Amino acid sequence: MNQPVVLQQMKSKLNGKDFLQISDFTKDELMDLIEFGIKLKNMQKLGEPHRYLEGKTLAMIFEKSSTRTRVSFETGMYQLGGMAQFLNKDDIQMGNGETVADTAKVLSRFVDAIMIRTYGHDIVVELAENATVPVINGLTDDAHPCQVMADLMTIYEKKGSFNGLKLTFVGDGNNMSQSLLMGCAIMGIDCYIAVPKGNEIKKGIFQMAKEKAKLSGAKIVQTYDAQEAVKAADIIYTDVWASMGWEGDLQARLAEFADYQVSEELVNGAKDDYLFMHCLPAKRGEEVAAAVIDGENSVVFDQAENRLHVQKAILATLV
Ligand code: CP
Ligand code: NVA
């Protein structure tokens, strides 16, 4: 099917590229993907055909569980005219010891793109180095770039621009907060990260975000003081205290993170029209109070929906 000019222009720059981390892209490239995600969302709502990936296939490797990532990628490929294959690590030979490199080379002979959710970020990098088709990071221990794209799209839709915004993340210095920090730093959103001692953002990632922020003018702050960090915030974001792979530490972490719950009291410090955001899945009563996530400032289901639209923009551009 004919591709719109905006897609042809994005393809001329990004076609064939991997989507491994937010920091691999410029502000303009991310903005183009967000705008195209919004366009695809409108087309979908209006029932306008946009089968830009007719006959194309996506292999999706999962080493961790998922609701949003799996269903949004699978549905997205279908809506673009292609199809996706769900590959649980235990069902494919990678689970029996076939190397990441061999898996990448074999899958590249069959499919047009690979999405992977795994533990070490080095696995995604190795897969991308050995694949001849684009590789998309569907979450690693260090990064969750597709989620941040949906989050930025949601902020842009709700606030109309990224200018003059302050986002505060309260909780763990994990894959989510690291990618979010990077996304804010690139797009020019002031970003405050409030974590308990010992759970900071990885030093190298924080440093890189600082560098990106010099270009965009964003203010980047990491602190242990959640109350201070949420003052006058436009957006408050949190995520689980024990990410996938860390569940064994939950009891200790519940105590460690107790003062970092996004409670009704904490959000009082934010602007009246603040947005509450969470990548989901959420644990009510742990990182967030039910009254906050289920309250009128919460946009968590808009974020979840936008995974579909912005990932369709990414797929249509890279593949
Ligand atoms: N936010 C997110 O990635 O959700 P899933 O773990 O359900 O994919
Ligand atoms: N930090 C969470 C995000 C889940 C989408 C995890 O890695 O489990």
Side-chain angles (χ1 to χ4, degrees), residues 62 65-72 117 138-139 144 147 176 244 278-281 307:
F62 281 90
S65 34
S66 166
T67 299
R68 281 144 287 267
T69 304
R70 177 179 175 178
V71 179
S72 57
R117 165 167 287 196
L139 181 145
H144 199 358
Q147 180 66 50
M176 197 57 250
M244 288 179 276
H278 193 309
C279 56
L280 305 178
R307 290 290 302 273

Side-chain angles (χ1 to χ4, degrees), residues 201-217:
I201 300 277
K202 278 192 177 169
K203 279 206 175 76
I205 293 178
F206 193 78
Q207 212 40 52
M208 192 192 283
K210 278 260 180 207
E211 290 299 316
K212 301 275 182 195
K214 278 186 199 157
L215 271 181
S216 71

Side-chain angles (χ1 to χ4, degrees), residues 72-312:
S72 57
F73 268 107
E74 201 163 329
T75 305
M77 278 304 288
Y78 178 76
Q79 290 178 356
L80 288 166
M83 60 89 81
Q85 302 175 51
F86 173 72
L87 307 172
N88 187 322
K89 191 197 169 191
D90 294 334
D91 300 336
I92 58 173
Q93 300 293 11
M94 211 170 107
N96 287 332
E98 183 164 25
T99 65
V100 171
D102 285 356
T103 305
K105 288 173 191 167
V106 171
L107 288 178
S108 298
R109 301 287 178 111
F110 297 133
V111 302
D112 302 286
I114 304 168
M115 193 280 296
I116 179 164
R117 165 167 287 196
T118 186
Y119 291 88
H121 196 76
D122 52 328
I123 297 173
V124 176
V125 172
E126 192 184 346
L127 193 80
E129 279 169 1
N130 287 282
T132 53
V133 296
V135 170
I136 299 172
N137 178 357
L139 181 145
T140 62
D141 290 343
D142 279 350
H144 199 358
C146 293
Q147 180 66 50
V148 172
M149 290 303 286
D151 300 339
L152 290 170
M153 176 173 160
T154 309
I155 293 169
Y156 190 68
E157 285 179 325
K158 302 282 176 193
K159 296 288 184 190
S161 104
F162 295 124
N163 295 336
L165 294 180
K166 171 179 173 178
L167 181 150
T168 301
F169 180 94
V170 181
D172 191 14
N174 63 9
N175 45 12
M176 197 57 250
S177 47
Q178 293 186 154
S179 289
L180 195 59
L181 172 71
M182 200 62 75
C184 289
I186 295 169
M187 301 317 283
I189 301 173
D190 290 346
C191 187
Y192 288 62
I193 305 278
V195 292
K197 265 205 174 84
N199 298 279
E200 297 85 359
I201 300 277
K202 278 192 177 169
K203 279 206 175 76
I205 293 178
F206 193 78
Q207 212 40 52
M208 192 192 283
K210 278 260 180 207
E211 290 299 316
K212 301 275 182 195
K214 278 186 199 157
L215 271 181
S216 71
K219 190 172 174 190
I220 300 298
V221 176
Q222 184 160 225
T223 170
Y224 302 121
D225 188 341
Q227 275 79 17
E228 189 58 34
V230 299
K231 272 191 190 153
D234 298 282
I235 300 139
I236 299 182
Y237 200 119
T238 190
D239 183 19
V240 289
W241 290 341
S243 286
M244 288 179 276
W246 294 79
E247 296 88 345
D249 299 340
L250 181 63
Q251 283 316 313
R253 294 174 80 80
L254 287 179
E256 202 180 350
F257 282 78
D259 294 336
Y260 292 81
Q261 187 191 76
V262 179
S263 60
E264 286 179 277
E265 192 193 341
L266 187 73
V267 303
N268 274 335
K271 288 190 181 151
D272 287 345
D273 64 347
Y274 86 97
L275 303 177
F276 173 74
M277 301 183 80
H278 193 309
C279 56
L280 305 178
K283 295 270 176 69
R284 287 169 176 76
E286 291 184 15
E287 75 275 6
V288 61
V292 173
I293 190 169
D294 299 321
E296 58 185 19
N297 296 68
S298 176
V299 294
V300 296
F301 300 113
D302 297 311
Q303 286 174 259
E305 178 187 334
N306 284 339
R307 290 290 302 273
L308 170 70
H309 306 299
V310 84
Q311 286 166 191
K312 281 166 71 180

